[in-house]
């Protein structure tokens, strides 16, 4: 991957027995084998409170949840090896807070793969809560699978390439996945120029629009060059689009995609506390393929 020695970093999937988590397991198993890394299946027993006066659950209560987790892990491991017999599978059970544990796990992972909705240990894993928190703070890219997208295995890998450092990181992940899946990479660069807005209608701005488009295309090709040299067999399509919202342009380019990759530009009181508007919009909008969110390196 783009952040560390890939051979030492497994693909990690969150498991909780739900159909969504099983989808994540299937997708993660295929990707781990393609990348030549282990698949690590993780269950987190994030215990619900018994009542406001209980400070800690009794041992039998925690044990029951952990036993359920081991059962779900066994089922997930069977599914992974049925899906991809050559998968090298590791399993682990943790007791703790879901998002914190996943974020900690991301520090030694190449990818962290999650479903959008779960129950059991991941019962609060809804886009906008745990999934958004993990995607906003993880130390590795996070792949979130909308329901029914586990078997999406053909089509383009679409990458939002905005010229930032995170955009370059996103291109690296996109090329990595495209090479492993023998897919075409579609690099999308979106620009918005206020001088070309409706207020300037009727003025001779066509030449200015063309100049900006040419500049953005040159910048995109500069960002693509090192990745093209590293992955010469990956077919690349370049798209420079003028749009008000980058997410709209990415969604348009990704109608037949198998993965969308974007960088997360967090904005908040503390840097990185929130996902950027584009990544947030994609997590809430995309229903046809997984979405990968690339975070800054820590």
């Amino acid at each position: 991957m783009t952040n560390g020695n890939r051979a030492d970093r497994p693909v990690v999937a969150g498991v909780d027995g739900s159909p969504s988590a099983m989808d994540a397991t299937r997708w993660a198993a295929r990707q781990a084998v393609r990348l030549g890394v282990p698949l690590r299946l993780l269950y987190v027993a994030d215990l619900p409170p018994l009542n406001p006066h209980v400070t800690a659950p009794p041992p039998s209560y925690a044990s029951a949840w952990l036993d359920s987790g081991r059962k779900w892990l066994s089922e997930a491991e069977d599914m992974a090896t049925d899906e991809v017999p050559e998968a090298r599978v590791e399993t682990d059970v943790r007791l703790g807070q879901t998002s914190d544990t996943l974020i900690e796990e991301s520090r030694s992972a190449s990818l962290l793969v999650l479903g959008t909705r779960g129950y059991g240990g991941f019962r609060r894993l809804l886009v906008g809560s745990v999934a958004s928190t993990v995607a906003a703070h993880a130390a590795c890219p996070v792949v979130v699978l909308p329901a029914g997208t586990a078997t999406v295995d053909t089509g383009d890998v679409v990458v939002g390439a905005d010229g930032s450092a995170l955009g370059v990181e996103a291109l690296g992940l996109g090329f990595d996945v495209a090479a492993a899946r023998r897919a075409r990479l579609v690099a999308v660069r979106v620009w918005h120029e206020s001088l070309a807005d409706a207020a300037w209608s009727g003025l001779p701005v066509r030449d200015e629009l063309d100049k900006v488009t040419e500049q953005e295309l040159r910048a995109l090709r500069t960002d693509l060059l090192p990745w093209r040299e590293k992955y010469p067999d990956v077919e690349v399509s370049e798209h420079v689009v003028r749009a008000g919202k980058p997410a709209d342009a990415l969604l348009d380019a990704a109608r037949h995609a198998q993965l969308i990759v974007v960088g997360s530009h967090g904005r908040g009181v503390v840097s990185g506390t929130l996902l950027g508007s584009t990544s947030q919009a994609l997590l809430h909008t995309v229903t046809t393929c997984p979405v990968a969110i690339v975070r800054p390196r820590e």
Side-chain angles (χ1 to χ4, degrees):
M1 308 305 293
T2 58
N3 57 341
N5 185 349
R6 189 178 73 186
D8 297 332
R9 294 175 178 264
V11 172
V12 177
V15 171
D16 72 349
S18 68
S20 182
M22 288 301 189
D23 280 350
T25 296
R26 296 173 66 188
W27 193 95
R30 294 197 304 274
Q31 188 61 22
V33 168
R34 287 186 174 113
L35 297 177
V37 301
L39 169 66
R40 181 171 170 79
L41 303 177
L42 175 66
Y43 169 78
V44 182
D46 186 353
L47 303 181
L50 294 175
N51 63 60
H53 303 290
V54 176
T55 58
S60 59
Y61 183 64
S63 178
W65 277 76
L66 293 172
D67 287 344
S68 294
R70 294 185 186 99
K71 176 179 177 292
W72 290 329
L73 283 171
S74 178
E75 292 174 354
E77 182 175 7
D78 288 344
M79 173 179 282
T81 53
D82 285 345
E83 185 83 12
V84 193
E86 61 270 38
R88 294 178 286 146
V89 184
E90 308 166 354
T91 62
D92 193 13
V93 176
R94 300 279 192 86
L95 185 64
Q97 204 278 329
T98 303
S99 57
D100 289 348
T101 305
L102 290 169
I103 291 166
E104 181 61 30
E105 187 73 17
S106 75
R107 301 183 191 283
S108 58
S110 62
L111 282 177
L112 182 59
V113 185
L114 305 172
T116 53
R117 295 178 182 273
Y119 50 73
F122 291 91
R123 67 198 176 281
R124 292 191 297 274
L125 188 54
L126 306 174
V127 170
S129 56
V130 173
S132 288
T133 299
V134 173
H137 292 280
C140 72
V142 176
V143 178
V144 179
L145 272 74
T149 62
T151 57
V152 176
D153 219 18
T154 59
D156 301 325
V157 174
V158 175
V159 184
D162 63 2
S164 67
L166 272 180
V168 174
E169 289 275 341
L171 281 171
L173 175 61
F175 268 92
D176 213 2
V177 174
R181 292 172 171 252
R182 299 181 180 178
R184 182 176 69 161
L185 183 136
V186 177
V188 181
R189 193 179 189 94
V190 182
W191 65 275
H192 175 73
E193 176 53 64
S194 60
L195 294 180
D197 282 345
W200 283 74
S201 61
L203 294 178
V205 297
R206 183 73 260 169
D207 288 347
E208 294 301 319
L209 290 174
D210 291 342
K211 287 179 182 179
V212 173
T213 299
E214 291 171 5
Q215 292 170 357
E216 293 297 322
L217 181 58
R218 285 196 298 270
L220 174 59
R221 287 173 173 168
T222 297
D223 288 345
L224 285 168
L225 183 59
W227 300 113
R228 277 180 151 151
E229 291 175 347
K230 183 176 180 180
Y231 299 92
D233 295 332
V234 173
E235 179 187 354
V236 179
S237 178
E238 303 159 345
H239 291 253
V240 174
V241 182
R242 176 179 174 261
K245 295 181 179 179
D248 291 341
L250 288 166
L251 287 168
D252 186 60
R255 289 177 181 174
H256 304 291
Q258 60 177 292
L259 181 69
I260 302 176
V261 185
V262 292
S264 171
H265 298 275
R267 294 178 177 84
V269 177
V270 179
S271 177
T273 56
L274 298 174
L275 286 176
S277 58
T278 299
S279 50
Q280 189 78 266
L282 291 173
L283 282 182
H284 284 276
T285 305
V286 175
T287 60
T288 57
C289 70
V291 177
I293 308 296
V294 178
R295 287 282 304 148
R297 299 184 192 184
E298 294 185 356

